[in-house]
Amino acid sequence: MLYLLFWLSLLLLGYIYLGYPMVAKLMANTVAAPVRKDVRERPTVSVLIAAYNEAADIEATLRNKLALDYPADRLEILVISDESDDGTDDIVRRVAAEANVPVRLFRQTPRQGKTAGLNTLVAHATGEILLFSDANSQWEPGALRHLVSNFHDPDVGYVTGKMVYVNDDGSMVGDGCSVYMKYENWLREQETLTGSIVGVDGGIDAMRKALYQPLRPDQLPDFVQPLKVVKQGYRVVFEPRALLKEPVLNDSSSEFSMRVRVSLRALWALKDMATLMNPLRYGFFAIQLISHKLLRYLAFLPLAIFTLATLLLMPKGGIYPLAFLGLVALYGLAWIGRKNESEGRNFGPLYSVPYYFLLLNVASLKAVMAFLRGEKRVVWKPRKG
């Protein structure tokens, strides 16, 4: 039984992180379905921003959106303050008074979270295309044009851009997180060619307003809304030219908390949209959703089983001592990465990638435990770089 557990857990880990990306690449080369884009597309758009105590970032974010390379008469910005009490509302009003495009402020009281806030904003939005931005997201000037160019294709219902983490202080989580995003973005490019991607950024997204479906406050809009678009028969695609620059978190505790919250809400989303994981009905997209999301969130299980089996089989010789040495290297490099971060030092991806890999898996473990307890998280705190 130990031998079986060793090989099954190793194969499953290999499939999650290497096998599925290879399958996605193969499918992209075999059944490529490029998006029909037209950069001349200029639909009316509404930028939606949910904010809670974002006084430190909201002005820069609003001015960033006002400076986008897009016709002012086809753009509006809607902000909902989730009972902010740090002056966020006053900043939005001041920027709105100086802006050359409509900037409208709404207030949500009592706090109900981002999803409820977006439901409110959509009801007031006049644009054909809805754009979703975080309160601290900085878009490249041409990002909006590149996003909406995808809607020239009538099969496209949702588009996500490319996040690039900005890491000024060289923090360990920053390097690991950046490598992780490069991996994710490459995978999204392959998935786009197969039809639809299964995960979006949330900080630089766009969708047809006609496809928006109001969500429960406890649902994760960055995950559930794109899945609902797929369920309606439209594509969800990745646009690598639409760039979002966002400061990475500079400490692992903040990154860990965020990953637990996002993973927990994603697990509930998978439960709500479980019908999409039926290959007989949704074909390869169901395999994508299972492989890229469900198995990824549960990867800590084969990792733990593989670690335990390796420890018990090591005295048997053969390949098992080599597997043990590999695990020692993984955990050892991660521990050094954690130590370097706590001391404010950065020794590069050799340490930060194993550290971030384990951080993600431990966060998933904590999220699964919370999910099994029936815990849900609706409100949020601003991410601080």
Side-chain angles (χ1 to χ4, degrees):
M1 179 61 70
L2 271 180
Y3 295 104
L4 182 63
L5 289 174
F6 175 91
W7 287 107
L8 285 180
S9 58
L10 178 59
L11 289 173
L12 184 54
L13 285 170
Y15 173 76
I16 292 171
Y17 294 107
L18 295 175
Y20 168 65
M22 292 173 63
V23 170
K25 177 65 174 176
L26 178 63
M27 288 295 293
N29 291 338
T30 305
V31 295
V35 178
R36 289 166 285 174
K37 306 177 186 180
D38 190 339
V39 294
R40 296 170 296 180
E41 288 285 312
R42 293 294 186 273
T44 56
V45 300
S46 300
V47 180
L48 312 183
I49 302 173
Y52 168 68
N53 285 355
E54 295 281 2
D57 298 308
I58 193 64
E59 180 171 359
T61 298
L62 290 174
R63 296 198 183 282
N64 170 257
K65 303 305 176 290
L66 291 169
L68 291 171
D69 181 13
Y70 205 77
D73 62 344
R74 306 191 70 75
L75 170 67
E76 68 173 357
I77 301 173
L78 282 66
V79 180
I80 189 158
S81 173
D82 197 18
E83 204 175 27
S84 299
D85 56 11
D86 69 339
T88 293
D89 298 20
D90 293 333
I91 296 172
V92 175
R93 292 190 188 98
R94 175 165 53 80
V95 174
E98 306 169 356
N100 63 339
V101 304
V103 177
R104 293 189 281 164
L105 173 67
F106 299 83
R107 186 166 175 83
Q108 186 166 259
T109 305
R111 287 197 71 195
Q112 299 173 57
K114 178 179 180 179
T115 308
L118 292 179
N119 287 338
T120 297
L121 292 183
V122 170
H124 293 277
T126 62
E128 304 164 67
I129 303 297
L130 304 175
L131 295 143
F132 305 107
S133 169
D134 290 336
N136 65 338
S137 296
Q138 297 291 307
W139 296 5
E140 286 288 286
L144 177 47
R145 287 187 293 104
H146 290 306
L147 284 173
V148 301
S149 70
N150 291 266
F151 293 109
H152 178 71
D153 191 326
D155 293 331
V156 171
Y158 197 110
V159 185
T160 192
K162 179 179 180 180
M163 177 188 286
V164 180
Y165 281 108
V166 178
N167 182 16
D168 294 330
D169 63 1
S171 65
M172 294 303 300
V173 173
D175 286 342
C177 196
S178 179
V179 171
Y180 170 75
M181 284 309 303
K182 289 176 182 176
Y183 170 79
E184 281 293 297
N185 288 332
W186 176 86
L187 190 50
R188 288 171 181 172
E189 289 180 350
Q190 311 315 310
E191 289 179 338
T192 293
L193 290 172
T194 69
S196 288
I197 63 175
V198 297
V200 303
D201 176 71
I204 182 165
D205 289 357
M207 71 174 293
R208 298 183 190 273
K209 184 185 178 185
L211 300 180
Y212 186 90
Q213 296 183 359
L215 304 179
R216 300 192 314 268
D218 63 283
Q219 290 183 307
L220 180 63
D222 309 346
F223 197 3
V224 178
Q225 200 62 250
L227 293 181
K228 286 184 174 290
V229 168
V230 171
K231 200 168 184 179
Q232 293 177 73
Y234 290 81
R235 295 177 66 182
V236 178
V237 300
F238 174 61
E239 176 49 71
R241 297 175 299 172
L243 297 180
L244 157 66
K245 293 183 177 180
E246 187 166 306
V248 73
L249 299 181
N250 59 12
D251 68 281
S252 60
S253 60
S254 298
E255 178 73 16
F256 181 78
S257 297
M258 184 273 291
R259 288 295 170 188
V260 172
R261 175 175 58 84
V262 170
S263 299
L264 174 59
R265 299 188 74 185
L267 289 168
W268 284 110
L270 288 170
K271 181 177 183 295
D272 290 340
M273 305 299 291
T275 56
L276 288 173
M277 290 187 282
N278 180 356
L280 296 179
R281 185 173 179 183
Y282 292 99
F284 186 65
F285 183 79
I287 296 173
Q288 291 178 252
L289 192 55
I290 293 169
S291 303
H292 193 166
K293 290 301 179 181
L294 181 61
L295 292 181
R296 182 83 67 83
Y297 286 124
L298 299 178
F300 65 86
L301 283 172
L303 179 61
I305 292 170
F306 178 71
T307 300
L308 180 60
T310 299
L311 290 174
L312 295 175
L313 289 171
M314 184 182 61
K316 304 286 187 180
I319 194 175
Y320 304 110
L322 293 177
F324 174 76
L325 290 176
L327 286 172
V328 169
L330 173 67
Y331 292 115
L333 291 172
W335 179 82
I336 294 173
R338 176 68 182 93
K339 189 171 184 295
N340 288 339
E341 185 205 48
S342 66
E343 296 175 355
R345 298 183 337 210
N346 178 12
F347 289 166
L350 176 64
Y351 304 106
S352 60
V353 171
Y355 174 37
Y356 194 72
F357 169 78
L358 291 181
L359 181 147
L360 288 175
N361 277 282
V362 175
S364 293
L365 168 61
K366 187 172 181 179
V368 168
M369 294 173 64
F371 174 80
L372 294 175
R373 294 194 300 267
E375 181 180 333
K376 294 184 177 182
R377 300 184 185 182
V378 176
V379 298
W380 82 103
K381 294 182 180 179
R383 292 183 62 176
K384 300 301 180 185

